[in-house]
Every structure is written in C-alpha cells, then in structure tokens.
Amino acid sequence: MIRSTLFTLTTATALLAAAGDRAVAAVPFTLPLAAQTAAAATVTETQISGRVGDAGARSYLHGALVRLQGSTIETRTDREGRFSLRGVPAGDHVLEVDYLGYQQQFVPVRVSPGQPASVNVQLETAGVIEQVVVRGTRDAQTRALNRQRASDNIISVVSADSIGRFPDGNVAEALSRIPGLAIARDQGEGRYVSVRGTPTEFNAVAVDGVILPAPDASTRAVDLDTIPTDVVSSLEVTKALTPDMDADSIGGHINIVTQTALDTGGPIVRAATGVGRNQLGGGRNERHALTLGRALDDERIGVLFSGSYSDTRRETDNFENVFESIDDEIFPVGVELKDYEVQRTRYALNGRLDFRPSDRTALYLSLLHSKFIDDEYRHTMILEYDGYAPGSTPAVGVATDVGVIKELRHRKVENTIDTLTFGGEHPFDRATFDFTLSWTEAEQNYPRRNYVEFELDDTPDIGYDFSRPNDPVWTTPDGARNRLNFDPDDYEFGLYQLRAADSVDRDISLATNLTLPIDAFAASGSLKFGLKARLKHKESDEDRFETENNVAGLTLDQATRDSRSSNFGIQLGNLFRRDLIRTVGPQYEADADFVSIPRRNFTADYEADQDIYAGYGMSTLDWGRTRLVSGLRVEHTRIDSDAFRFDRETDQAIPQSDSSRYTNLFPSLHLRHEYSDDLILRAAYSTALNRPNLVDVVPAVEERDRGPGRREVSRGNPDLDPTYAHNLDLMVDYYLRPFGVLSAGVFYKRLNDVIFDVTGNRPFEGDIWEVTEPENGDKGRVYGVEVNWQQGLMFLPGPLDGMGIFANYTYADSEADLPFGFGKVQLPGQSDHTVNAGIYYEDDRFDARLAYNRRSKFIDSVSLSGRDFDIYWDARAQLDLTASMRVNDSVEIFGEASNLTDSHQNRFSGSSDRVIEREGFGRVYLLGVRVNLF
C-alpha cells in the first residue's frame, strides 16, 4: 500500500511546499555591517528572521547562536546561515548573535504586531585572528566547533576543509580523527567504522540524513572506502539519538553532508590535483577533484556539481597462519604466503539543485554516485602440514609431508553507492512542514574471480620457527631458510576456477515532519511529529565453476614471469603473469569438464524485503539557558525472505521462505544547559537497536548427513531478535575563545539480545546434529570515557602564535553473554584505547600538520572453542604528515605522506605471539596543487 502511494504523497507534498504563503521581504546579504548594527531594524511582526554571514568572505555561518536578550527565545542558524525567531512580543529588543572565532553582535530590533521583516547580520572575525589565517585550518575548526556547540544532543563534526588537511582519501579514514571513532583497514586503507566500542554493524551511515544500504551481502555495515572525501562538505556523528532520527544506530549515526551552492554567497570554483608514489612496489598514486557551483536569481536557485577521481597502484606483503588444537596444544597446521598487486580506483559524482520559489519555501534535488574498484592479483604459496617430526612444539619444529600449492587469484570487486533525494521545507505562520523522498542503492559486484592452482609433486618436510612471531622462518630439506622457490618443473596443474557474485541492497524511503511552536510549563519551544516508511530489498547471488582438466596444457613455468616474489623477504619463486587469466581462461571455460559447484551456487543466494514504518513525537522546551528535548519513536519492522535448503550429499536445493514481524518503542530524553556562553553540559538517555544482518535471518539451510555422529547443518535464524540498547551519556564542553574546546564525557550502553554465531550439538530433524547458526545471547554492556582538546595557541608570541594542537582519547570496555551459557566475551570491534594527537602550524603562507592515530587490539570474531581461538586485530598506530604553501590567494601547493613509520597490521589467535596474519603496505606519498578561484 505504501509503495503504491509514494508518488501521490510526494506530489502533494511538493505542491504544498511550492504554494507558499505571505512572502518575507529580505534585506540583501551584501548590506554594509554598519547599516545593520548602528541603527535599529524596524520590523512589524512578532517574528524575526534573517541570515548570519561572514563579513570578510562570501560565506554563511552554520550553527551561530541567535538569542533574544531578556527572554528564553533563541535559535541556531542552518547551513545557509538562516534563522527564524517566533513568538517575539511587540516592543524594543536586542538580538545577540554569537559565533566562536567572531566578534559578538548586538542588533537592536523594534517589533510591531502584524507585519513580517528580516534582519541580516555580518560578523567580523575576532580581532586577535589574522584575516588570512582564519580562512585556513582555524576557520575549518571554528565552523565545526560552532555546530557542535549549537547542537541539542551530543555530536561531533569535522568540516571539509579540516578533512583536506589530512591525507584521508575516503570517508572512513576521515572519520578516524573524530573522538570515539576507530576504523578497520583493508590493505592499509580504512573501510569500516566502529563508534564507542561497538561492532561496525551497530552504526547507521547516511548521506544528507538518508540512510545508506550496504554493498556487502553479509553485513549491514557500509563500506566507507567507497566514498571519497572530495565530495563531502562535512561529517557529523550523532552519539545520542533524538526521536526524529532512525533508531538503528546503537553506536552512532554517521551523516555525510554533501555540498550546496547556497552555503556561500557567490560562485564556487575549486580544483585539486595530485600525483605521488606508493613505497611498496613503487606504484602510481594520484587524486583529482573539481567543484563548480553558483547561486542564481538572487540566491533563489543554487546549482552545484563536484567530481572526484583517485587511482593507486600498490603492493602488499601478507602471510596467514592456520592453527588447530592437537593433543591439548595449539599447533600451526598451515600457512598462506601472499604477494598482492593491487590497483584501486575510486570516483564520485555529486550534483545538487536548490530552489526557493518563495522566501519561505525551499526545495532541493541531490544525486550522489560513488564507485570503488579493487582490481587485485594475489600470488600465493600454500603450505599444508600433514604431521610433525618428534620433538616439535607449537613454536619450533618440523612439519612432515607438507603439501605445497602455488596459486594465482585475479579478483575484481566493484562497490557502487547511489543516492537520489528530493526534499523540501515550508514554514507557515505557526508551523513548519518538511519532507524527504529518497532512492538509494548499494551494489557489490564480482564480475570475475579466477583461480589457477599448481601442486608440487613432492611432499617435503619443512621446518618452522615462530620464536619471533612477526618474522617466522621456514626451512626446506636442503637447509635453505625462507627460500621456498621450488623448481617449477616439479609442479603439476591443479585446477582452474571461476567465481562470480553480485549483491544489491536497495531502499526507497519517504519521511514527513511537522513542527509547531508551543509555550508550556513556563517555557517556550516546539512540538515535532513525523512519519517515515523505509522499504528495503536486498538480494545476493553467487556462482562457482571449476575444472581439473588441463586443456591448455599449462605449466607453472609458462604461467609465471621473470619477476621474483619476496614476501617480507621470504623467497617464493617467480610471480604469475598478470595476463594469464585473460589468455588461458577462455580455453578452460570452454571445456566440457568445466562444471558448476552446486553447493556454492545455492548456499549464498537469497532475497529479502525489509519494510520499516516509523512515527514519532518530540518536544523541545527552553527555560532560559536550559533546553529539554524528549519524545518517543515507534518502529514496526517486517521482513520476508527467500533462500535455499541444500543437501550436500545429494546436491538437492529446495526453495525456502520465511517472515518475521516486530515492533519497538524508543523513548529518549536530552538535557542541554549553558552555564555560560562557553560552558555547556549535555546529558541524555536514549534507546536504539541493531537489526540482524539479513543474511542471518533468511531461511538458508546447508546440511551434510554422513551418518550418526557426523551430521552437520549450517542455517539462518529467522527468529533472531534485534539487539536493543539503553544508552546513558554525559558530556561537558568548554569552548575556548577565540576558538578551541575542552570536553569530557562518559557513556554507558546496556544491550539486550546480542547476536553471535554458535556451533553446538542441538536437535534438528528429530535427531542431534552439529548445528551452526546465529543466536541471541542475553545481556551485554559497553561503557567508557571520551576526552577531547583542540586549541589554537594564538596567545604565544609570534611567529609561534600560528601553532595549534588537537588530541582526543577514548577508553571503552565491553562484555556480552554468549548464547547457551558459553560465557562472556568482549564485543567485536571494541578497542580499550583509541588515541588521536597532533600539532599544526599555520601562517599567511605556510601550513603543516603532523597527526598520530592509534587504536589498541580488538576482537574480530569470537570462537566457542575457547578464548585461545578468538581472533583479534592487534594494536596499530599510524603517523601522517601534510604541508601546504600558498602561492597566492587562489593557489596552494600541498604534499602528503602517510604511514611514515611503515607500521604493519597483525591479527592473532588468542595471544599476540600466535600471529595468524601479518600485512605490510608501506608508505604513501602525494604532491599536488589546489586552486580556489572564488
């Protein structure tokens, strides 16, 4: 029903918004400052509206506090610098306009009933700040801090200009600088984000407030390496939800704000280009961006286009050990030594049209298309241990009858995220109506994922030595250490395999909100109500084919090139030819023995529809410097899914269907109290949930009945409950003039029904099977402390007054009950310590920044076999340097160097000396030019 009425509702909404009502006469933004502050602005209605801008630049100020002195009436400016004060009594008043880094303005106003008017204010930068300096790093920090200061709830903001001062090519890496956030990396690049010690799936990601679907079929977490930073205006992380926000953000709600032409008062022409090198492999590294925008028709129309393209070619060293319990000791049973040759391409296109048919009505249409392509060749040597010589220990010994495999994998994955949003707002005399209609789609496509394998004829005995876990040694029978380059003539063709996979996650949503002013309980404020429908369809399809028939007569010598593989200094013979798959693949795929693998063709396939219907009511009340936001949100979830039941013994696949329904209530209460203009206390109680990954609730079943005692089944669980959280937050911020902040806060999250994958003997089909499925545990909790310090050190004598510092630290701890009384574990993704620290310097020509980021170890996956088999990512730190030199007012030259200390990334099993994966990716350099013509 809702699907069929989306168009009707949207059309009605748009017509209503476009109709407008009485126009408000606007004072041009270019009025001289003296004309606005030396004389009273005469108004004739009990409503004051206007804009706040920067007197020294063509830009408007988002987050400025506008107060009516002597009353409880205050508001904040939006991203276009607009504000509106309602319910102003007739008489003479004074508007106080406050923005960090700028001089406070006091504007006298005379109010008469019955007539509308507008007051525009231009703010001058604080006298102690050089005009040229405030345009740079400090200006970016100031704008972000003002938005945080003005917010009702607990948020963190980073602006585009600040992002540009770090060597952060994608959104995940930019978010890692924010207090309370940590990232998981893939081959050195940030991909997933954890907020305040919660799993990555616990955090919703949105673009301009519209929730994004996830490209990966196995998770709700959004691959944030797909979106480059060059198309971003700012990043906002909400850590305590209000009722007008989607509830699926236990950790935090990450909002990617795109650019608009109406953020500034003139044309926009910005460009950047840079080229560089990756240290490991010497591959090219380049990044380019362009933004064009303009406000037209006296700022009634805004048009903006931005584009971004990056390409990097790098190599990665990697080895992965496999461990098992043998005779109550944990022995290595194999290793994969991998050389990666990777090309990663990332591009995005962003367009936005803003239209104001009247001074009150605002409409917009925005589009974002972002794509990430990872084209990867993986050269692998696999050692599979069959036994151990007498005297061998887990750390040092000799593996006997070792199987040796050489494998080439060519994998290309394409992640695409698209959003199309139409929205608008219309204030009536006593109410404001807004709406958003959006279509979003995320796709992950593996067009080809090919494997070629060769097996060594012999099964030699190979020594291993893990006494230095980060620098293991393998010794061949001839005594050679870390020289596993066996004669190519001793290898035989093993197999050729082709995999293809595609997953699509598509959302359509419609949201409407109505805001009404109220006076109640000796306070002024507003009531806000809203309805939302979010309709999701997700599907996944995978196919695998292989043959062991060497129809091309391929030998290992023919398959390799004259270039040596050296993985962390371990010699692995020659690398494979990069054109191998392209040249011989068609021959194998045309062979009659090239057949599908039925198990893989069904067990990963599913379709699911998830519809969420929500409604909320929220009140905002002001008592002088105290604001209370309270309300209740209701969300009803309906999931219908299809998958297969697959029998591995008969290769039979039977379609399955299932459905689930549940309704949740989300109360919240937020308190904001200003002890002064600069000292603000925020306290909040909020609730949120994490719905299970859709792959976990579809009715997929994979069974293997090999007789009594050997019956195994893996299945989804449509009866899974979502994880529900009660959140308590307390934060104190002290804003340092002219710009800076000291803040400290504590948080506590009480979790119900945390989800884990479980394997155990349980009833299935009237018998006892070994069943693997996701299950709900009982209780869990996350708690911690978050502190932040940012300050420009302008009190220092020149030229040291150009220095500034930034530092934040988050401590988190967690605990959750495993299902069936298996004990307690930390939550996946929770690091005890997360640190950012740095120092910068800026004067009228030069800017430099040294930034340090570290997160301590965290669990990647939990094992029910015992804590020795829990998989952790080890602690890792990274040091980055950026610098730029201004040639003139429009051009600057910049340089970036990331991972200066060449830090590596480890995973381990149970203990850090049991390394299961080590990865090295080297330093990255970039040199370029930025141009800002207006």
Side-chain angles (χ1 to χ4, degrees):
M1 179 63 179
I2 286 188
R3 293 182 192 273
S4 65
T5 57
L6 281 175
F7 177 77
T8 303
L9 289 173
T10 306
T11 303
T13 301
L15 291 174
L16 177 62
D21 56 7
R22 290 178 299 171
V24 178
V27 179
F29 179 67
T30 54
L31 276 178
L33 178 67
Q36 300 172 51
T37 57
T42 303
V43 297
T44 57
E45 188 187 11
T46 56
Q47 174 178 312
I48 303 173
S49 60
R51 302 180 83 174
V52 177
D54 182 332
R58 296 185 309 271
S59 63
Y60 299 108
L61 301 179
H62 185 185
L65 297 179
V66 183
R67 301 187 182 96
L68 192 71
Q69 282 194 341
S71 76
T72 62
I73 301 174
E74 74 171 37
T75 189
R76 289 89 164 151
T77 55
D78 65 13
R79 65 182 299 174
E80 296 178 18
R82 300 180 186 273
F83 70 90
S84 179
L85 295 173
R86 300 178 182 273
V88 180
D92 292 329
H93 300 280
V94 175
L95 288 183
E96 176 186 344
V97 184
D98 186 30
Y99 196 84
L100 291 176
Y102 290 73
Q103 299 173 6
Q104 284 184 303
Q105 289 278 344
F106 299 92
V107 183
V109 178
R110 176 168 297 164
V111 174
S112 301
Q115 297 182 17
S118 178
V119 176
N120 283 4
V121 181
Q122 293 178 337
L123 299 183
E124 294 276 5
T125 56
V128 295
I129 303 180
E130 296 281 348
Q131 188 72 25
V132 68
V133 173
V134 80
R135 298 279 75 77
T137 301
R138 296 177 173 183
D139 180 46
Q141 292 176 346
T142 298
R143 291 171 185 264
L145 290 177
N146 275 283
R147 288 165 63 183
Q148 292 176 199
R149 184 179 69 142
S151 67
D152 292 337
N153 52 349
I154 298 171
I155 70 170
S156 296
V157 181
V158 59
S159 69
D161 289 337
S162 272
I163 295 171
R165 303 294 166 175
F166 292 103
D168 299 332
N170 67 54
V171 166
E173 293 173 344
L175 287 167
S176 71
R177 314 292 179 177
I178 293 178
L181 275 69
I183 60 173
R185 296 179 180 270
D186 177 68
Q187 297 193 39
E189 289 192 305
R191 172 161 295 176
Y192 295 116
V193 176
S194 172
V195 182
R196 289 182 160 181
T198 59
T200 56
E201 295 91 345
F202 279 26
N203 312 300
V205 178
V207 170
D208 294 328
V210 176
I211 299 292
L212 290 181
D216 195 319
S218 64
T219 180
R220 290 185 183 271
V222 177
D223 304 60
L224 286 173
D225 56 357
T226 303
I227 304 176
T229 54
D230 294 314
V231 296
V232 173
S233 172
S234 64
L235 298 171
E236 302 172 341
V237 181
T238 300
K239 299 171 182 177
L241 301 180
T242 51
D244 55 347
M245 302 179 69
D246 294 278
D248 42 0
S249 302
I250 290 177
H253 176 95
I254 299 167
N255 188 32
I256 302 167
V257 182
T258 60
Q259 305 170 73
T260 169
L262 298 185
D263 289 348
T264 61
I268 301 170
V269 179
R270 294 193 299 265
T273 184
V275 294
R277 277 282 181 266
N278 289 283
Q279 178 195 26
L280 195 56
R284 184 180 71 248
N285 179 38
E286 61 179 289
R287 192 165 72 234
H288 314 283
L290 174 67
T291 300
L292 303 173
R294 188 173 184 87
L296 306 170
D297 191 19
D298 197 21
E299 298 194 34
R300 292 185 180 274
I301 298 174
V303 181
L304 183 137
F305 166 84
S306 62
S308 170
Y309 174 84
S310 67
D311 181 82
T312 184
R313 303 187 182 194
R314 65 198 309 173
E315 294 181 5
T316 302
D317 288 344
N318 176 284
F319 65 77
E320 297 185 27
N321 291 301
V322 181
F323 294 90
E324 289 184 5
S325 179
I326 300 175
D327 296 330
D328 297 326
E329 292 190 276
I330 301 174
F331 273 80
V333 296
V335 64
E336 295 185 3
L337 299 127
K338 304 173 182 179
D339 272 356
Y340 288 91
E341 295 179 296
V342 182
Q343 179 181 4
R344 287 185 166 177
T345 305
R346 183 183 293 107
Y347 69 85
L349 301 173
N350 170 231
R352 178 164 172 136
L353 172 66
D354 289 273
F355 176 49
R356 288 186 169 272
S358 72
D359 289 328
R360 291 192 172 190
T361 302
L363 300 171
Y364 70 90
L365 179 69
S366 68
L367 168 70
L368 173 66
H369 171 71
S370 186
K371 191 159 190 171
F372 170 73
I373 303 171
D374 188 353
D375 194 354
E376 172 185 286
Y377 292 88
R378 188 183 74 184
H379 311 266
T380 306
M381 173 169 281
I382 304 170
L383 306 180
E384 298 175 341
Y385 311 157
D386 185 65
Y388 304 89
S392 297
T393 70
V396 179
V398 176
T400 58
D401 298 327
V402 176
V404 181
I405 299 172
K406 290 271 287 185
E407 177 189 86
L408 170 67
R409 184 187 75 173
H410 179 211
R411 185 207 68 175
K412 187 175 185 180
V413 59
E414 301 174 352
N415 282 353
T416 307
I417 294 177
D418 292 305
T419 71
L420 179 63
T421 305
F422 174 54
E425 178 182 86
H426 180 79
F428 298 93
D429 287 337
R430 296 291 296 171
T432 299
F433 174 78
D434 67 84
F435 75 95
T436 304
L437 174 65
S438 65
W439 171 88
T440 58
E441 182 176 274
E443 181 177 11
Q444 184 173 82
N445 179 245
Y446 288 84
R448 296 185 69 86
R449 186 173 178 172
N450 306 74
Y451 295 77
V452 176
E453 286 187 0
F454 293 86
E455 298 180 6
L456 191 68
D457 289 339
D458 191 17
T459 55
D461 295 346
I462 296 178
Y464 60 87
D465 184 348
F466 293 140
S467 55
R468 298 174 60 192
N470 289 338
D471 300 295
V473 175
W474 286 271
T475 306
T476 55
D478 60 2
R481 293 163 56 87
N482 282 345
R483 295 183 62 187
L484 304 175
N485 45 351
F486 300 100
D487 190 337
D489 292 338
D490 293 336
Y491 284 88
E492 292 184 351
F493 178 84
L495 64 84
Y496 172 87
Q497 186 180 99
L498 167 65
R499 304 181 188 179
D502 187 66
S503 65
V504 179
D505 193 349
R506 185 180 301 113
D507 285 4
I508 297 175
S509 68
L510 172 65
T512 59
N513 303 284
L514 183 67
T515 305
L516 305 168
I518 62 167
D519 293 294
F521 308 108
S524 62
S526 64
L527 288 176
K528 188 176 182 182
F529 305 94
L531 296 171
K532 184 171 185 178
R534 182 153 54 109
L535 314 178
K536 175 188 292 292
H537 176 79
K538 187 159 189 168
E539 59 185 65
S540 172
D541 179 61
E542 181 179 343
D543 296 295
R544 296 191 189 185
F545 302 84
E546 73 177 21
T547 180
E548 296 179 2
N549 187 13
N550 190 8
V551 294
L554 191 65
T555 66
L556 181 58
D557 192 53
Q558 294 170 337
T560 55
R561 66 184 195 261
D562 189 18
S563 182
R564 291 285 181 171
S565 171
S566 180
N567 188 331
F568 289 115
I570 304 168
Q571 301 301 311
L572 304 174
N574 285 358
L575 294 167
F576 283 92
R577 291 164 36 202
R578 283 192 291 265
D579 67 345
L580 180 66
I581 301 296
R582 178 176 54 82
T583 56
V584 304
Q587 298 180 60
Y588 291 106
E589 293 168 25
D591 182 51
D593 291 331
F594 187 67
V595 295
S596 67
I597 307 173
R599 176 193 173 204
R600 297 298 185 183
N601 290 354
F602 290 101
T603 55
D605 296 356
Y606 73 85
E607 291 190 22
D609 291 310
Q610 174 191 277
D611 297 339
I612 302 171
Y613 305 99
Y616 73 90
M618 183 176 83
S619 68
T620 302
L621 297 173
D622 291 318
W623 292 271
R625 289 182 174 268
T626 302
R627 170 167 288 189
L628 186 67
V629 179
S630 60
L632 176 69
R633 186 179 185 88
V634 181
E635 291 191 354
H636 175 73
T637 305
R638 183 177 71 190
I639 299 176
D640 299 298
S641 57
D642 299 293
F644 291 95
R645 176 171 177 169
F646 184 76
D647 188 330
R648 291 178 61 180
E649 302 305 314
T650 64
D651 286 346
Q652 183 180 17
I654 303 173
Q656 308 282 303
S657 298
D658 213 313
S659 62
S660 61
R661 309 282 188 271
Y662 50 88
T663 302
N664 300 97
L665 303 179
F666 303 97
S668 65
L669 184 67
H670 301 258
L671 174 70
R672 180 185 188 274
H673 179 71
E674 299 178 15
Y675 287 97
S676 67
D677 288 347
D678 300 323
L679 181 60
I680 300 174
L681 168 72
R682 292 181 178 87
Y685 163 73
S686 60
T687 49
L689 90 166
N690 169 245
R691 295 178 177 86
N693 294 320
L694 285 174
V695 70
D696 290 336
V697 297
V698 300
V701 180
E702 180 184 352
E703 58 184 271
R704 187 169 191 177
D705 186 356
R706 296 185 290 181
R710 303 180 67 193
R711 292 172 171 169
E712 303 168 353
V713 61
S714 176
R715 63 183 181 183
N717 185 356
D719 296 326
L720 274 179
D721 293 321
T723 302
Y724 189 93
H726 299 269
N727 309 302
L728 294 175
D729 293 272
L730 181 66
M731 181 71 70
V732 178
D733 297 325
Y734 181 68
Y735 292 90
L736 306 168
R737 301 282 178 164
F739 68 90
V741 67
L742 282 170
S743 64
V746 294
F747 57 89
Y748 177 86
K749 301 177 184 294
R750 179 66 171 179
L751 308 176
N752 296 325
D753 300 316
V754 183
I755 298 170
F756 293 94
D757 286 329
V758 177
T759 299
N761 293 326
R762 295 198 296 282
F764 178 75
E765 297 289 314
D767 206 341
I768 300 299
W769 291 56
E770 184 182 85
V771 179
T772 300
E773 67 179 338
E775 289 280 359
N776 290 112
D778 188 15
K779 303 293 184 181
R781 62 177 181 174
V782 186
Y783 62 91
V785 177
E786 184 180 299
V787 294
N788 182 33
W789 178 26
Q790 299 178 49
Q791 187 173 12
L793 305 180
M794 297 182 325
F795 54 81
L796 295 176
L800 297 179
D801 58 350
M803 294 183 64
I805 55 176
F806 57 93
N808 59 69
Y809 166 76
T810 304
Y811 168 79
D813 194 10
S814 67
E815 183 179 77
D817 296 327
L818 290 170
F820 309 120
F822 281 114
K824 299 178 182 292
V825 293
Q826 282 185 315
L827 285 176
Q830 181 254 301
S831 290
D832 289 354
H833 310 284
T834 306
V835 177
N836 280 291
I839 187 168
Y840 66 86
Y841 179 83
E842 181 173 273
D843 60 21
D844 59 347
R845 294 285 304 278
F846 179 72
D847 177 286
R849 176 174 300 216
L850 185 67
Y852 172 82
N853 173 269
R854 183 185 187 275
R855 72 176 299 188
S856 62
K857 69 177 182 179
F858 63 94
I859 288 182
D860 185 41
S861 61
V862 175
S863 172
L864 296 182
S865 298
R867 302 289 68 83
D868 284 334
F869 294 96
D870 290 341
I871 305 302
Y872 288 81
W873 284 103
D874 208 348
R876 182 179 181 272
Q878 181 163 314
L879 187 66
D880 303 318
L881 175 66
T882 55
S884 63
M885 177 70 73
R886 296 176 184 86
V887 178
N888 53 43
D889 289 343
S890 300
V891 180
E892 69 175 10
I893 300 170
F894 70 92
E896 300 175 355
S898 58
N899 194 24
L900 286 175
T901 59
D902 190 20
S903 64
H904 297 165
Q905 181 72 72
N906 278 17
R907 279 196 305 158
F908 62 86
S909 176
S911 172
S912 60
D913 60 1
R914 193 179 301 121
V915 176
I916 65 168
E917 181 176 9
R918 183 164 175 80
E919 192 169 56
F921 21 81
R923 303 174 181 87
V924 183
Y925 305 101
L926 190 75
L927 181 66
V929 178
R930 295 190 188 99
V931 178
N932 188 351
L933 296 182
F934 296 97

